[in-house]
Amino acid sequence: MLSRDQHPVSRQLLSPSALKVLYRLNKGGYDAYLVGGGVRDILLGLKPKDFDIATNATPEQIKALFRNCRLIGRRFRLAHIVFGREIIEVATFRGHHDEKEQQDKKTSKQSEHGMLLRDNIYGSIDEDAQRRDFTINALYYSTKDFKVYDFANGVKDVENRVVRLIGDVETRYREDPVRMLRAIRFATKLDMEIEAQTKAPIKALSSLMANIPAARMFEEFLKMFISGKAVANFEQLRDYHLFKFFFPAVDQALDNNDEQLERFIMLAMANTDKRINNDQRVTPAFLFAAMLWYPLQNYIRQINTNNSLPPQDAFFAALNEIMPEQQRSIAIPKRFQGVMKDIWILQEKLARREGKRAFKAYEHPKFRAGYDFLLLRSEIESDNVQLAELAKWWTDFQNVSNDAQVQMVKSIKGPQGSKRRSPRKRRKPIAKPPTE
Ligand code: ATP
Ligand code: MG
């Protein structure tokens, strides 16, 4: 335990909403502590991303105290207290799952692999600490006595920058395989080392990840790849054989030394990281589109081996193969699927610029993403002169006056422009021979 003057956590560093929740719970007669990233990040001198609270009030008791409260989760029931855009997560202290409790399937349930399908047995604060994942995440700050409670030697591990699982490592990974991802994520985010025993079984247990529902994988995808540390996380995930649970097709291509694909996704991830670290907007759809672009091209080639299909038909046929396959790993919400398709379709649209087409593409709501994607492709396919010219054309197009744009379109003499026959010149259909 650290007294008030032995640690840097103070009320000024908490959000007003987090403080409100802590005080309201205390006033209602319950214990309440700030826990997890909120305490850990302040000890590290960082600004917490969000604030999590642990209490001895049950979800129903929490709900009774707050109007702006939603109870969520089946596997792990907890309360979300909503303050505009900020959500304070309040979890009831968890306890151990013993034989007797395991008979109540609503509160405790395990799969054949030892995965906890329900983790809703309540307990005391010191039991709760043992149920948390890493020692650095099991630190509790009280706004009653301003002390930091350390039940798992987390302070020492924060100081030494070590990510260490609490309890028997294999059991803890089996209970929840996502802890393998979390170990990697905290190590890259906080610039820490994963402790040897915590690290050791990950590769051998990686296949447990196959049991994680696709919806949860989407959440984990966001934390891994849309957090400013995509490149570092990607490299770790590949090392530990965990990347394939996000993008099986990409993982396989990388195993086959598809160098072009590797450079492309690395560049896309590096760009995403740069944008996030500069507080620029990013859409997960862009990274999804980049991950699957070359696998998509392979599908198109396979489907259209002898070029018998119109390109659009081949594209949609390939889409119908690749999307359901990817969805089995990560449940990509519909709105992002739409943007991915737009980005891909724009690659074709940006290439065909004659007549009104360039202006139409320019007005497309996803033009900017499509153009950025084109730039990325041209950077990777540096020997593709046509692609380089196309990228430059669009860069110029955006920087000139409307009149000059009209001129640019007029001066296109691409193969498509000259090949295209006007409808008037089309030959009349040959009359069918009379049938008997
Ligand atoms: P972040 O900065 O990403 O929010 P965090 O440590 O606060 O990091 P959360 O996902 O917000 O992580 O979870 C809050 C706390 O809940 C964690 O610090 C940890 O104590 C506990 N926790 C979360 N997920 C798990 C898990 N899968 N197994 C055990 N404990 C967990
Ligand atoms: Mg958190």
Side-chain angles (χ1 to χ4, degrees):
M1 189 261 296
L2 300 180
S3 61
R4 189 176 194 169
D5 52 2
Q6 290 174 308
H7 65 76
V9 188
S10 70
R11 282 166 293 171
Q12 291 92 59
L13 299 174
L14 273 55
S15 81
S17 317
L19 283 173
K20 259 188 224 159
V21 175
L22 286 164
Y23 290 144
R24 173 94 52 103
L25 283 163
N26 284 159
K27 254 175 85 187
Y30 304 106
D31 295 336
Y33 297 83
L34 181 70
V35 68
V39 184
R40 179 198 68 215
D41 290 355
I42 293 174
L43 291 188
L44 286 164
L46 304 170
K47 195 173 175 299
K49 180 179 74 101
D50 50 35
F51 294 95
D52 307 294
I53 288 172
T55 177
N56 60 352
T58 64
E60 286 68 29
Q61 290 169 329
I62 301 167
K63 187 156 175 66
L65 280 183
F66 296 92
R67 240 182 346 112
N68 47 339
C69 171
R70 279 195 314 242
L71 299 186
I72 63 152
R74 230 153 69 102
R75 183 181 55 86
F76 194 94
R77 252 167 86 71
L78 51 81
H80 273 177
I81 319 286
V82 185
F83 296 88
R85 291 182 59 187
E86 189 181 0
I87 293 178
I88 306 293
E89 226 170 70
V90 185
T92 308
F93 293 147
R94 279 343 190 236
H96 299 295
H97 297 239
D98 60 28
E99 299 275 309
K100 194 173 93 248
E101 271 140 343
Q102 288 196 11
Q103 284 163 13
D104 180 0
K105 295 283 180 256
K106 269 198 247 93
T107 54
S108 171
K109 192 173 169 190
Q110 232 177 32
S111 80
E112 51 177 325
H113 309 287
M115 191 157 95
L116 280 182
L117 304 173
R118 298 273 190 287
D119 190 357
N120 295 317
I121 305 271
Y122 303 132
S124 60
I125 183 170
D126 49 317
E127 285 174 317
D128 184 79
Q130 303 308 315
R131 299 288 317 141
R132 296 203 169 252
D133 46 7
F134 304 102
T135 60
I136 54 169
N137 288 346
L139 296 165
Y140 299 74
Y141 171 76
S142 163
T143 44
K144 263 189 183 163
D145 59 16
F146 312 111
K147 290 175 179 166
V148 168
Y149 292 86
D150 179 4
F151 298 95
N153 269 327
V155 172
K156 193 185 92 228
D157 284 340
V158 167
E159 278 165 6
N160 297 329
R161 304 191 93 89
V162 174
V163 179
R164 185 194 311 271
L165 213 45
I166 296 171
D168 175 65
V169 173
E170 183 163 340
T171 308
R172 301 307 310 281
Y173 285 142
R174 285 189 182 278
E175 284 175 355
D176 183 5
V178 167
R179 288 173 186 152
M180 298 190 273
L181 305 180
R182 292 175 60 86
I184 291 172
R185 187 159 66 81
F186 291 125
T188 58
K189 168 177 164 164
L190 307 170
D191 194 17
M192 289 187 172
E193 287 290 330
I194 306 179
E195 180 271 333
Q197 286 189 39
T198 299
K199 187 191 286 202
I202 296 184
K203 254 187 222 172
L205 297 178
S206 61
S207 61
L208 292 171
M209 284 297 300
N211 303 315
I212 304 300
R216 190 164 180 214
M217 287 303 287
F218 176 71
E219 298 302 320
E220 295 304 318
F221 164 83
L222 294 180
K223 292 181 191 168
M224 280 286 180
F225 294 94
I226 312 291
S227 61
K229 289 278 180 187
V231 170
N233 285 331
F234 165 76
E235 285 171 344
Q236 296 286 309
L237 287 172
R238 279 281 292 165
D239 278 355
Y240 287 108
H241 301 173
L242 290 167
F243 182 68
K244 64 165 172 268
F245 300 99
F246 289 93
F247 297 100
V250 179
D251 193 69
Q252 189 148 57
L254 292 172
D255 284 348
N256 295 333
N257 293 320
D258 186 335
E259 204 211 318
Q260 176 168 273
L261 176 138
E262 179 164 8
R263 285 191 296 123
F264 188 57
I265 64 171
M266 284 297 248
L267 189 60
M269 289 187 291
N271 278 359
T272 307
D273 286 349
K274 205 167 17 172
R275 288 184 67 93
I276 291 172
N277 297 323
N278 288 334
D279 286 324
Q280 286 172 285
R281 258 178 54 87
V282 298
T283 166
F286 191 89
L287 206 49
F288 279 122
M291 286 287 177
L292 298 181
W293 172 252
Y294 286 115
L296 177 76
Q297 302 309 308
N298 286 339
Y299 265 117
I300 291 175
R301 268 194 296 276
Q302 276 169 35
I303 287 169
N304 215 1
T305 31
N306 43 13
N307 274 324
S308 52
L309 288 176
Q312 244 207 350
D313 294 6
F315 168 76
F316 281 105
L319 201 64
N320 285 336
E321 297 274 342
I322 204 167
M323 289 304 279
E325 182 193 291
Q326 177 59 44
Q327 292 287 114
R328 280 203 290 277
S329 302
I330 304 178
I332 306 173
K334 279 257 156 57
R335 63 183 189 284
F336 296 131
Q337 289 185 46
V339 179
M340 287 168 73
K341 281 180 215 167
D342 282 344
I343 291 172
W344 288 338
I345 290 170
L346 270 165
Q347 301 313 298
E348 180 69 20
K349 287 193 191 297
L350 292 174
R352 312 194 58 191
R353 294 154 290 167
E354 65 284 3
K356 289 205 177 79
R357 285 181 170 156
F359 290 98
K360 272 210 174 131
Y362 195 36
E363 279 164 19
H364 191 287
K366 295 296 160 206
F367 168 81
R368 185 72 213 188
Y371 162 74
D372 285 342
F373 200 85
L374 181 74
L375 284 188
L376 217 60
R377 288 172 54 214
S378 74
E379 210 170 311
I380 292 305
E381 295 175 36
S382 50
D383 49 352
N384 187 338
V385 183
Q386 248 182 330
L387 195 60
E389 277 173 9
L390 186 63
K392 184 175 181 314
W393 191 93
W394 277 108
T395 305
D396 295 343
F397 188 83
Q398 296 170 73
N399 288 320
V400 297
S401 68
N402 188 262
D403 287 346
Q405 287 176 335
V406 173
Q407 284 312 311
M408 280 180 77
V409 170
K410 272 191 187 148
S411 59
I412 293 172
K413 288 194 288 298
Q416 286 117 346
S418 49
K419 255 192 211 157
R420 209 176 140 243
R421 269 190 268 154
S422 91
R424 263 175 291 117
K425 283 189 200 147
R426 203 171 278 164
R427 266 182 294 164
K428 275 190 192 152
I430 301 162
K432 275 193 202 148
T435 47
E436 280 183 68

